[in-house]
Amino acid sequence: MKSMSEYDFELNKICKIINEKKYRKIMVQIPEGLKIYHEKIVSTIENGTDAVVILSGEPCYGACDINEGDADFLVHFGHSMITEPGIPYFFAECRSNIDVLKVVEKSEGYLEKNVGVLTTVQHINKIGEIKDILEKKGKNVFVGKGGKRIRYPGQVLGCDFSSALSIMDKVDCYLYVGTGNFHPLGVSIATKKKVIAADPYSNEISGLEGLKEKILRQRYAAIEKAKQGERFGIVVGGKTGQKRLGTAEKLKEMLEKNGKNAHLISLNEIKPEYLLYLNYDCFVCTACPRIAIDDYSMYEKPVLTPVEIEILLGKRRFEDYVFDQIE
Ligand code: SF4
């Protein structure tokens, strides 16, 4: 298990802000991966201030999901801001202090000459160091600037690969530094380029090609299955950074013009059991794009992304598949 000291929770800074501004009710949001530290976080804030902490017990997968509750100050851990909350806030991005040198050096042999470097907000302060290590090994290194939801060059979100796409014509491959397949898989599908993932915790290097092919086969099968469907349920997410009502309305119009029935469904949290009794042949998710891609096997009926509806209706070829991103 990772230890709490591996991350910078900025608790002293948070207490200082709360004391200076005399905030009294603090909403704390912690992503699932860091929730094991909730007791220490809550007690440190309560012991260091005169405030009461309300810990958000809902799952929190990204800064797209803001819960202000009845608080006068929001502290959101583990993500960089996407949309500004409606109350005063602090985003503690939880930088990791893990050393990346060893794993980046190890990745060299897997990389082409022109490399795009990517990571999450946890390791974003290491981007310069990663670049230096690779340049010393003779690589041409590029760090792309993202769109408006991306706060740092080289940063990726699970639904926003704009920093990778912005340097696509300059690079032969990408190096993603971080844990897990979630982000590099998205980069691999979005850019269609070679992606190497370097995990500084396990010191392991992996390619994404096999997983990308498997996911694309699943997506093809889901679209084919959905083609038989007549009734489509279009899910509109309730979370601030996931709401795409305009996209949902366009999809409804598009489906209806093509002789299908389509209804809009509002959901905050999207779970298989919430869709179970809704009598549609297929669902389209305009909220977090990862629900359709990563949770594929959890749903009985096909769940498609907006781009996949274009393919289903023959408006786009499967060869031109693009990853659904929130802009
Ligand atoms: S929409 Fe999904 S992938 Fe994007 S930030 Fe939110 S939880 Fe992450």
Side-chain angles (χ1 to χ4, degrees):
M1 193 171 81
K2 292 171 194 168
S3 103
M4 192 167 174
S5 62
E6 280 180 28
Y7 299 98
D8 183 4
F9 286 88
E10 301 185 75
L11 292 171
N12 289 339
K13 192 170 174 186
I14 291 164
C15 289
K16 196 165 172 261
I17 297 170
I18 294 170
N19 287 329
E20 275 173 12
K21 298 282 183 187
K22 298 190 173 22
Y23 294 126
R24 287 292 173 265
K25 270 189 212 148
I26 318 300
M27 176 62 79
V28 165
Q29 284 189 282
I30 309 174
E32 301 319 282
L34 297 175
K35 244 183 195 134
I36 41 166
Y37 308 121
H38 70 276
E39 274 185 277
K40 177 82 178 152
I41 293 170
V42 172
S43 53
T44 305
I45 298 175
E46 288 198 335
N47 293 338
T49 68
D50 292 328
V52 171
V53 170
I54 307 158
L55 173 69
S56 172
E58 312 284 347
C60 174
Y61 301 111
C64 56
D65 182 6
I66 293 297
N67 179 3
E68 294 157 6
D70 293 321
D72 52 12
F73 188 56
L74 167 71
V75 185
H76 186 112
F77 287 94
H79 304 119
S80 57
M81 186 172 78
I82 295 179
T83 48
E84 202 166 352
I87 58 170
Y89 56 85
F90 184 81
F91 281 78
E93 294 172 353
C94 298
R95 297 275 186 274
S96 162
N97 59 15
I98 190 97
D99 191 10
V100 295
L101 175 78
K102 226 164 117 188
V103 80
V104 174
E105 282 189 333
K106 193 176 169 187
S107 72
E108 186 216 338
Y110 299 84
L111 302 171
E112 315 293 324
K113 178 77 178 165
N114 300 305
V115 187
V117 173
L118 303 165
T119 188
T120 60
V121 76
Q122 264 72 58
H123 308 286
I124 204 73
N125 52 333
K126 301 283 170 69
I127 279 273
E129 188 186 337
I130 298 167
K131 190 170 183 286
D132 287 349
I133 299 167
L134 294 176
E135 280 174 349
K136 278 188 192 135
K137 304 264 180 203
K139 306 290 184 195
N140 297 324
V141 182
F142 299 88
V143 180
K145 202 172 166 301
K148 62 179 191 302
R149 298 168 86 243
I150 298 289
R151 286 190 84 72
Y152 305 98
Q155 182 193 1
V156 282
L157 299 176
C159 56
D160 192 324
F161 308 102
S162 48
S163 57
L165 292 165
S166 70
I167 49 172
M168 222 169 92
D169 53 347
K170 295 185 182 135
V171 304
D172 311 311
C173 70
Y174 293 94
L175 173 67
Y176 168 82
V177 178
T179 311
N181 289 327
F182 183 78
H183 295 95
L185 171 66
V187 178
S188 174
I189 297 175
T191 64
K192 300 184 172 75
K193 294 219 171 193
K194 175 176 169 180
V195 179
I196 295 297
D199 185 336
Y201 293 95
S202 65
N203 201 32
E204 274 173 21
I205 306 289
S206 50
L208 270 297
E209 208 49 34
L211 183 58
K212 178 182 84 178
E213 293 307 324
K214 180 183 159 198
I215 297 291
L216 287 176
R217 278 197 301 275
Q218 282 177 355
R219 299 322 303 156
Y220 185 82
I223 297 167
E224 285 302 305
K225 194 172 170 194
K227 275 184 184 165
Q228 326 299 325
E230 290 303 323
R231 293 158 305 163
F232 287 70
I234 305 169
V235 177
V236 186
K239 296 177 180 175
T240 19
Q242 295 187 9
K243 230 178 253 173
R244 289 190 286 176
L245 182 59
T247 305
E249 283 174 329
K250 274 190 204 136
L251 286 168
K252 179 173 160 63
E253 200 186 316
M254 205 193 289
L255 283 161
E256 285 172 348
K257 268 191 189 151
N258 283 273
K260 309 279 187 189
N261 292 320
H263 293 163
L264 303 185
I265 305 159
S266 166
L267 275 175
N268 243 339
E269 201 61 46
I270 301 156
K271 292 182 182 174
E273 56 267 37
Y274 295 167
L275 303 185
L276 212 55
Y277 300 106
L278 297 175
N279 197 20
Y280 297 100
D281 304 318
C282 168
F283 293 93
V284 191
C285 183
T286 65
C288 175
R290 305 305 296 241
I291 291 164
I293 309 285
D294 300 69
D295 299 345
Y296 166 80
S297 58
M298 288 163 56
Y299 291 86
E300 210 173 89
K301 309 251 179 80
V303 180
L304 302 189
T305 67
V307 170
E308 290 167 351
I309 288 294
E310 291 176 22
I311 298 172
L312 179 141
L313 295 175
K315 298 187 181 307
R316 178 191 287 270
R317 297 180 318 152
F318 189 77
E319 294 71 34
D320 301 325
Y321 187 97
V322 291
F323 198 98
D324 176 35
Q325 296 187 75
I326 301 181
E327 288 168 357

